[in-house]
Amino acid sequence: MMNKDLPRWATAFVMPVLNLLSALLVTALVIHLLGESPTESLAILVNSAVVNPEGLSYTLFYASTFIFTGLAVSIAMQAGLFNIGAEGQMYFAGLGLTLAMLTFDASLPAWLLIPVGMLGAALFGALWAFVPGYLQAKRGSHVVVTTIMFNYIAAALMNTIIVKLVPPGEQNPASRAFAAAAEMPRLNQWFPILGETPLNISFFLAIIALVIYGVVVSRSAWGFKLRATGLNKHAAHYAGVRISKMIIIVMLISGALAGLGSVNSIMGSTHYLSLNFVGGAGFIGIAIALMGRQNPVGIFLSAVLFGALTQGGFDLSLEKQNIPPETVIMVQGLIILFCGAMENLYGPAIAKVLNLKKRG
């Protein structure tokens, strides 16, 4: 029994869980070598990120951004494309959002201003993904190479542009703060137990995006063509799918989804454009797509997990002096390793167990 012949519950649930546990086991070993207790460290992380209401609020805040970047990578994977440019797409989308805010925040009401900002973010994110998509579709340039290049181009371009947006007399490399009408409504207005945290309605927008993604990919004719393209481009072509058009459209959607991740980070938290506001969220989206197996429920759970790691990692590094803040990045890297490059590590063992049960 090959990995592809394993039952769906094994590939969608058992293998990702085993891969995650493997990553956490290696992390526990590293923490032990650093001279700290893995069990105490885990307790601190869980209490900070899940048990404490304010910490849970921060976990869901980070997860809101990660859901969008995870969706961006996932929908591209459905078409057989590995878009690792969500970082640059989200960064450039922040510029589109900011230009919309700086232009209209003094004249438009909140109910209109917020959608305009979201539209600006989605358009600029899609624009930044268009060129890699076009080059893949029309010139055969591999999307992995071009999206890597565009991450660096976005970083360099944004460094130049943001400096020009700094108000006179200010030293902080950031745009001016947006008007109050540009702030995403925060959930603590209705749930005071969440405390003074930036969790906002972007969380619900992310959930809606997950539902739309799930329905479109698995329940629509276009979704069937999308998955057919990812499984076998030649067969999809003979079935009538225009491959080049599909690639460009998927990359536009992927970039737009990555761009929407900037809405939570900027309009939901800082309320201005700053250098490196993305903070690696685009790269985390890769891990989320891999671990969640491009499934809406898997993407949500993976995003919450990475949100918990981000939130809990802050308190863990404060309470355990021997554990540096970079430990969270190491954990993320291990999860990518086990859920990506080594995702089929336990496949043969599971297949062997299932075969033994059949014979028994």
Side-chain angles (χ1 to χ4, degrees), residues 6 17 78 87 102 114 122 129 188 216 218 228 258 292:
L6 290 173
V17 169
Q78 294 284 359
E87 185 85 0
L102 297 181
I114 290 174
N188 57 17
V216 170
S218 61

Side-chain angles (χ1 to χ4, degrees), residues 98-343:
T98 299
L99 292 177
M101 293 300 100
L102 297 181
T103 304
F104 299 111
D105 67 346
S107 57
L108 294 181
W111 65 268
L112 190 55
L113 184 62
I114 290 174
V116 168
M118 293 175 62
L119 180 61
L123 286 175
F124 271 59
L127 176 64
W128 204 247
F130 169 75
V131 176
Y134 178 85
L135 291 175
Q136 170 79 51
K138 300 295 186 180
R139 296 290 182 265
S141 303
H142 204 290
V143 72
V144 170
V145 177
T146 53
T147 50
I148 288 175
M149 293 170 56
F150 268 63
N151 281 338
Y152 286 102
I153 294 172
L157 181 63
M158 292 296 288
N159 286 346
T160 302
I161 294 176
I162 290 176
V163 170
K164 297 184 181 299
L165 294 177
V166 176
E170 295 289 336
Q171 300 298 319
N172 184 34
S175 71
R176 69 163 174 83
F178 306 150
E183 298 179 8
M184 298 291 281
R186 295 190 174 184
L187 299 190
N188 57 17
Q189 300 176 18
W190 304 286
F191 306 101
I193 192 174
L194 298 177
E196 292 299 320
T197 62
L199 181 62
N200 57 82
I201 61 171
S202 293
F203 176 70
F204 297 126
L205 296 177
I207 300 299
I208 293 171
L210 278 171
V211 173
I212 294 174
Y213 165 84
V215 172
V216 170
V217 169
S218 61
R219 303 291 180 183
S220 71
W222 184 84
F224 175 79
K225 294 178 181 179
L226 169 69
R227 289 180 283 118
T229 302
L231 292 172
N232 191 319
K233 288 184 173 60
H234 296 293
H237 171 71
Y238 283 112
V241 179
R242 294 177 58 187
I243 303 300
S244 59
K245 180 180 179 181
M246 177 63 74
I247 289 174
I248 293 173
I249 291 175
V250 168
M251 285 300 294
L252 287 172
I253 296 173
S254 180
L257 285 168
L260 288 173
S262 66
V263 173
N264 183 55
S265 300
I266 298 178
M267 295 174 66
S269 178
T270 61
H271 307 125
Y272 56 80
L273 178 65
S274 59
L275 286 174
N276 302 318
F277 76 89
V278 182
F283 296 122
I284 291 174
I286 299 172
I288 290 169
L290 291 171
M291 185 176 173
R293 301 296 178 100
Q294 299 94 60
N295 179 277
V297 176
I299 293 170
F300 173 78
L301 294 176
S302 300
V304 171
L305 171 65
F306 276 88
L309 288 173
T310 303
Q311 167 58 21
F314 293 146
D315 286 355
L316 182 60
S317 61
L318 290 175
E319 295 196 31
K320 297 289 185 180
Q321 299 300 319
N322 292 332
I323 300 179
E326 291 76 16
T327 303
V328 174
I329 300 177
M330 181 198 71
V331 177
Q332 293 171 356
L334 286 171
I335 292 175
I336 293 175
L337 174 65
F338 280 98
C339 294
M342 302 170 64
E343 65 174 336

